[in-house]
Amino acid sequence: MAELEAGSISMAAGGGGRLRNALSGVLCAFTLLLIGVLAFSIRLFSVIKYESVIHEFDPYFNYRVTQFLSKSGIYEFWNWFDDRTWYPLGRVIGGTVYPGLTLTAGTIWWLLNSLNIPLSVETVCVFTAPIFSANASWATYLLTKEAKGHGAGLMAATILAMVPSYISRSVAGSYDNEAVAIFALIFTFYLYVKTLNTGSLFYATLSALSYFYMVCSWGGYTFIINLIPMHVLLCIVTGRYSSRLYVAYAPLVVLGTLLAALVPVVGFNAVLTSEHFASFLVFIILHVVALVYYIKGLLTPRLFKVAMTFVLTVGLALCFAVVAILAALVASSPTKGWSGRSLSLLDPTYASKYIPIIASVSEHQPPTWPSYFMAINVLAFLVPAGIISCFLPLSDASSFLVLYLVTSVYFSGVMVRLMLVLAPAVCILSGIALSEAFNVLTRSMKFQRPISDDTLPTAGDSTPGSSSTATITTSTKNANIKKEKMGTISKERSSKKSRKETELVGSSPVRPEKEEKLCVLPSEASAMGILFLIMLCGLYVIHCVWAAAEAYSAPSIVLTSRSHDGLHVYDDFRESYAWLRHNTEVDDKVASWWDYGYQTTAMANRTVIVDNNTWNNTHIATVGTAMSSPEKGAWEIFNSFDVKYVLVVFGGLIGYPSDDINKFLWMVRIGGGEFPHIKEQDYLRDGNYRVDAQGTPAMLNCLMYKLSYYRFAETDGKGFDRARRYEIGRKHFKLTHFEEVFTTQHWMVRIYKLKPQKNRVRGKLKLKLKSSSKTSLMRKGAGKKNPWR
């Protein structure tokens, strides 16, 4: 009778378990859908508060390329030579751009139009980043689930959907490479960890394809191809080598490198630059270790020692040969095979010493502590708990997450832009910490409930991925049956392949109760802990919503400010570009600092001398030298480039700090790096940069000063600069080689035209003609007799 009761309980438990799993799967899918909606909607403040417009500088180039792709097709895109940039050199777009973003947006636009959804290319570009932020949140769930289960995955995905560090580069209108690259980064890591857990060659192939998409999307793919080899080497050193590790890494290196070489902007750099050498070296080490393990399974211990000696000898010789070849390749390069940006990551002082063009970019500067708090907020306090959770227990997946966090923390400390790479690691570790904390606290509350005499508690499931047991204790009113037949039903779950039900074994419920009570806290402490975590999460949500709505939603091309008389909107950039588009010739050349090159070509459709690609340091140094030179020397430089208009950004009237005057020292440094007659100390007074009465003669007479402050004293009679908060030094002067043709409403953008050379030469010719005519008249008069003599 007892056996029949136990069997019926087993069937009921099995049916209930299947129903519970189905309901949990539906609830998980619905939660993920809500997370995706959250990630998309929180990034729409820029569209709601302002308008659907492209942000920043680089996105305008990507938008222009996507427009060309949608109109001309993929083949024309690969062969596109753009003659409107870097005049007179031009630029081969197909071979110098990472095509992942533009191909993705172009494909979305084509699909929508194929479905008769007539959206413009600009609209697709504006909303590409919010769409892929939802994809990144789902990829975060998958990656975290592989390490610590569904609960941690959902928590990490929710955190990533709102983290300010990621929002800063993925708001609606932020059409930059990182919009799709972060999703590709996380998804590649997920497929690598998935292959580690399953040993499936299918997932290994998908990992290589995802890595290929990352290579197409962003130059930060080198982070992947260095982080994964570091983890493989860590597993080998710590004795965690397995066939799954081999399957996860070997196809990624071989297939991923071959695919990466197909991207024109990468090409043979995938095998020739130092950023990729670590992956090849670990690839060789992995094969040596695999060969050792294979031989160990075939030979006796005595023969294995002999074989080991031979294998190690050959392996070391091969490694030394490869290292020698790599050293020879590296030694032939002046930068030792590293790119300038990579060297600036390894040596934070490298860019400031040797490549000022890299150091001049604000996003390449080291972050401050407040910027960390702004980017990740309270997550900084949860990360240590997440690291501890990864070691309980330590697996290949959890060790990869810890290594990811450690490396990304270092790189984010070197360059503020790479805080974007840190964000997923922080969110994953914080999600694990919160999930484990809520699990302990809620379980403690559960086991504090009063227990009746005829029922006993059921042991809770442990984290997915590890074996879990559920004990069902049957009790009857018959004391003899209870003593003789008290059974438990054990379910043992293998590594995500099959589930087995073991036979009923007699056991006492005392031991499971003791094991559960090891993690049980007092009910008061549990309730306080839950309230504290909920309050912490609430503060995080408030900060994220504020950051998305206020800090990162304003487009840089349309500026706003608040004062006692309300909101002020400054649309000077688009005003100036519209003037250039409608009041200048199509083939006119416009000179400006490289920051505004992409916007000028995209919005004004005019040819520029330099732009944000910054691939030719000499060209940029020439423009910097012109801005640093006196008016006549600057005119000669610009005239040699057929420049007709010069554009400068000036914030002295409204207090805009990111104008060309504040960037001027970088123009001097970059120009002086190529042209030694430009010296920074000539523009400094006792080491201080000043444009007031204490400014140096070189500063007060350079072209940048004149074009910025021309007629500025007429605005208030004093010439008070609100951006630098002092009165300018030289107020009343005239321009001899340039003429003002347009100044925007708030004086933010000023456009000048080069005076033609023929006007000045014509004056000289008139003087020469007058002098020559006088001379000829004198000669003629000398040949005639004076009638009055």
Side-chain angles (χ1 to χ4, degrees):
M1 185 66 181
E3 293 178 357
L4 292 175
E5 290 182 1
S8 63
I9 292 175
S10 175
M11 294 177 62
R18 285 192 294 269
L19 179 61
R20 185 170 63 250
N21 290 335
L23 291 176
S24 64
V26 173
L27 182 60
C28 181
F30 182 69
T31 305
L32 286 174
L33 179 62
L34 292 180
I35 291 173
V37 173
L38 171 65
F40 180 82
S41 59
I42 200 174
R43 289 162 170 81
L44 300 184
F45 281 106
S46 59
V47 175
I48 296 171
K49 294 181 62 176
Y50 299 95
E51 58 180 303
S52 179
V53 64
I54 305 293
H55 291 203
E56 302 297 335
F57 300 105
D58 290 2
Y60 275 92
F61 169 76
N62 298 325
Y63 166 59
R64 180 167 172 259
V65 172
T66 307
Q67 275 189 318
F68 183 89
L69 175 66
S70 61
K71 291 180 181 178
S72 304
I74 185 66
Y75 292 106
E76 293 294 330
F77 165 72
W78 291 124
N79 300 308
W80 180 23
F81 179 80
D82 187 9
D83 59 352
R84 290 199 172 275
T85 59
W86 293 93
Y87 180 84
L89 304 176
R91 178 184 176 187
V92 180
I93 299 297
T96 59
V97 69
Y98 288 96
L101 176 67
T102 54
L103 292 177
T104 300
T107 303
I108 294 174
W109 176 85
W110 178 80
L111 288 174
L112 292 175
N113 281 267
S114 300
L115 298 174
N116 293 323
I117 303 176
L119 292 180
S120 64
V121 175
E122 182 181 8
T123 303
V124 174
C125 294
V126 167
F127 291 100
T128 296
I131 291 173
F132 273 83
S133 65
N135 296 339
S137 299
W138 296 332
T140 302
Y141 162 76
L142 294 174
L143 174 58
T144 313
K145 177 179 69 70
E146 288 299 315
K148 286 294 180 180
H150 295 273
L154 291 174
M155 190 66 69
T158 306
I159 295 173
L160 183 79
M162 299 183 293
V163 65
S165 178
Y166 186 28
I167 289 178
S168 66
R169 309 290 294 196
S170 59
V171 295
S174 183
Y175 186 58
D176 210 346
N177 291 329
E178 294 91 336
V180 299
I182 295 302
F183 159 72
L185 178 81
I186 302 172
F187 196 63
T188 303
F189 288 159
Y190 156 67
L191 292 171
Y192 167 72
V193 173
K194 183 73 173 179
T195 311
L196 272 179
N197 291 338
T198 61
S200 171
L201 190 59
F202 172 73
Y203 287 110
T205 305
L206 291 181
S207 177
L209 293 176
S210 180
Y211 170 70
F212 171 61
Y213 182 65
M214 177 66 183
V215 174
C216 292
S217 302
W218 191 32
Y221 75 91
T222 54
F223 180 70
I224 295 178
I225 207 59
N226 284 278
L227 177 62
I228 292 180
M230 289 172 61
H231 180 254
V232 172
L233 189 61
L234 177 66
C235 290
I236 293 174
V237 171
T238 55
R240 304 182 68 92
Y241 170 81
S242 64
S243 59
R244 293 178 285 106
L245 183 67
Y246 181 88
V247 173
Y249 183 69
L252 176 64
V253 173
V254 176
L255 185 58
T257 302
L258 291 175
L259 291 173
L262 297 178
V263 182
V265 70
V266 177
F268 285 103
N269 289 332
V271 294
L272 294 179
T273 55
S274 299
E275 287 92 341
H276 305 81
F277 288 167
S279 61
F280 303 143
L281 185 60
V282 174
F283 183 77
I284 296 173
I285 295 174
L286 181 67
H287 279 78
V288 172
V289 174
L291 180 62
V292 169
Y293 275 89
Y294 176 74
I295 294 175
K296 186 176 181 180
L298 296 178
L299 303 178
T300 61
R302 181 172 174 274
L303 293 176
F304 174 70
K305 292 182 179 181
V306 178
M308 271 290 294
T309 304
F310 175 75
V311 169
L312 289 177
T313 303
V314 175
L316 289 175
L318 183 62
C319 286
F320 281 126
V322 172
V323 170
I325 295 174
L326 295 179
L329 291 173
V330 167
S332 62
S333 171
T335 60
K336 309 305 179 185
W338 297 88
S339 64
R341 285 182 172 84
S342 298
L343 285 174
S344 63
L345 291 176
L346 299 176
D347 180 9
T349 63
Y350 179 83
S352 59
K353 292 179 180 177
Y354 304 106
I355 314 179
I357 186 62
I358 295 178
S360 66
V361 183
S362 59
E363 62 185 16
H364 293 168
Q365 302 299 320
T368 59
W369 286 113
S371 63
Y372 272 103
F373 184 78
M374 177 67 184
I376 59 178
N377 199 247
V378 299
L379 303 183
F381 306 105
L382 296 173
V383 168
I387 295 175
I388 296 173
S389 299
C390 286
F391 283 92
L392 299 172
L394 182 65
S395 62
D396 292 341
S398 59
S399 64
F400 176 78
L401 295 180
V402 174
L403 185 63
Y404 175 24
L405 175 72
V406 172
T407 53
S408 59
V409 165
Y410 166 75
F411 289 121
S412 67
V414 175
M415 191 178 292
V416 67
R417 182 184 185 183
L418 294 183
M419 293 185 71
L420 186 64
V421 178
L422 172 66
V426 170
C427 293
I428 290 171
L429 272 296
S430 300
I432 292 174
L434 283 175
S435 177
E436 294 292 334
F438 276 117
N439 186 25
V440 172
L441 296 175
T442 54
R443 185 170 52 190
S444 299
M445 296 290 291
K446 175 182 177 181
F447 282 99
Q448 293 294 332
R449 295 181 301 178
I451 303 174
S452 60
D453 295 336
D454 56 345
T455 59
L456 289 172
T458 302
D461 294 335
S462 62
T463 57
S466 61
S467 61
S468 59
T469 59
T471 306
I472 301 176
T473 306
T474 62
S475 61
T476 63
K477 295 181 180 180
N478 192 338
N480 294 329
I481 296 177
K482 185 176 181 180
K483 292 181 180 179
E484 295 176 359
K485 301 289 183 179
M486 181 174 291
T488 60
I489 303 170
S490 298
K491 295 180 181 179
E492 189 171 338
R493 188 179 303 167
S494 62
S495 59
K496 299 183 173 69
K497 290 185 178 180
S498 64
R499 296 180 180 179
K500 299 179 183 179
E501 289 189 0
T502 60
E503 58 184 358
L504 298 174
V505 292
S507 63
S508 172
V510 177
R511 185 177 178 182
E513 284 186 5
K514 289 184 179 179
E515 290 178 353
E516 289 293 339
K517 287 184 178 180
L518 292 176
C519 297
V520 172
L521 299 175
S523 58
E524 296 81 2
S526 301
M528 292 296 295
I530 292 174
L531 290 176
F532 175 75
L533 291 179
I534 292 175
M535 183 182 67
L536 200 66
C537 293
L539 293 175
Y540 174 73
V541 171
I542 293 173
H543 174 75
C544 293
V545 173
W546 173 84
E550 300 295 336
Y552 300 129
S553 62
S556 62
I557 198 168
V558 181
L559 305 178
T560 60
S561 67
R562 292 185 181 273
S563 62
H564 62 278
D565 54 348
L567 179 67
H568 299 273
V569 179
Y570 306 101
D571 202 3
D572 291 46
F573 285 105
R574 292 193 295 186
E575 182 185 353
S576 62
Y577 296 140
W579 187 91
L580 284 173
R581 192 181 189 95
H582 293 97
N583 295 277
T584 60
E585 299 296 332
V586 177
D587 58 348
D588 283 345
K589 285 76 179 176
V590 180
S592 66
W593 191 232
W594 61 264
D595 291 19
Y596 320 107
Y598 280 163
Q599 289 184 349
T600 304
T601 52
M603 303 187 71
N605 194 26
R606 292 298 177 263
T607 305
V608 297
I609 308 301
V610 293
D611 62 23
N612 309 58
N613 187 242
T614 64
W615 66 276
N616 191 317
N617 190 64
T618 303
H619 228 52
I620 297 176
T622 303
V623 175
T625 300
M627 295 296 189
S628 310
S629 302
E631 190 177 347
K632 181 179 180 181
W635 184 93
E636 293 175 351
I637 294 174
F638 284 139
N639 187 62
S640 65
F641 282 94
D642 298 329
V643 171
K644 197 168 185 180
Y645 297 93
V646 179
L647 181 149
V648 295
V649 175
F650 174 64
L653 183 64
I654 64 171
Y656 177 59
S658 299
D659 62 351
D660 285 342
I661 289 292
N662 280 349
K663 298 176 183 177
F664 178 68
L665 281 185
W666 287 111
M667 303 182 194
V668 174
R669 292 164 186 164
I670 295 171
E674 297 288 338
F675 304 99
H677 68 278
I678 301 294
K679 298 179 176 61
E680 182 178 355
Q681 57 267 26
D682 294 340
Y683 301 85
L684 302 177
R685 174 76 68 181
D686 298 327
N688 297 318
Y689 175 54
R690 307 176 67 96
V691 293
D692 57 358
Q694 299 298 320
T696 62
M699 180 68 223
L700 299 181
N701 288 289
C702 70
L703 181 68
M704 178 56 67
Y705 182 93
K706 287 188 173 183
L707 298 188
S708 296
Y709 292 111
Y710 177 65
R711 296 193 308 107
F712 180 62
E714 299 175 5
T715 58
D716 59 356
K718 297 180 180 179
F720 184 79
D721 189 332
R722 292 177 176 85
R724 283 147 287 274
R725 298 188 179 277
Y726 46 65
E727 193 173 323
I728 62 174
R730 190 178 180 188
K731 301 176 182 179
H732 305 288
F733 54 85
K734 294 183 179 181
L735 299 176
T736 58
H737 297 75
F738 296 84
E739 60 178 337
E740 180 186 9
V741 292
F742 183 72
T743 296
T744 57
Q745 179 182 358
H746 303 97
W747 283 55
M748 283 186 60
V749 182
R750 312 194 67 183
I751 301 175
Y752 294 85
K753 184 178 181 180
L754 274 72
K755 291 182 178 180
Q757 185 178 11
K758 60 183 179 181
N759 290 344
R760 297 189 300 114
V761 175
R762 186 181 301 168
K764 292 181 180 179
L765 290 175
K766 288 181 179 179
L767 293 175
K768 290 181 180 179
L769 288 174
K770 288 181 180 179
S771 60
S772 61
S773 62
K774 288 181 179 179
T775 307
S776 62
L777 287 174
M778 290 176 63
R779 289 176 179 175
K780 289 180 180 179
K784 295 181 180 180
K785 294 182 179 181
N786 189 348
W788 301 101
R789 180 174 295 178

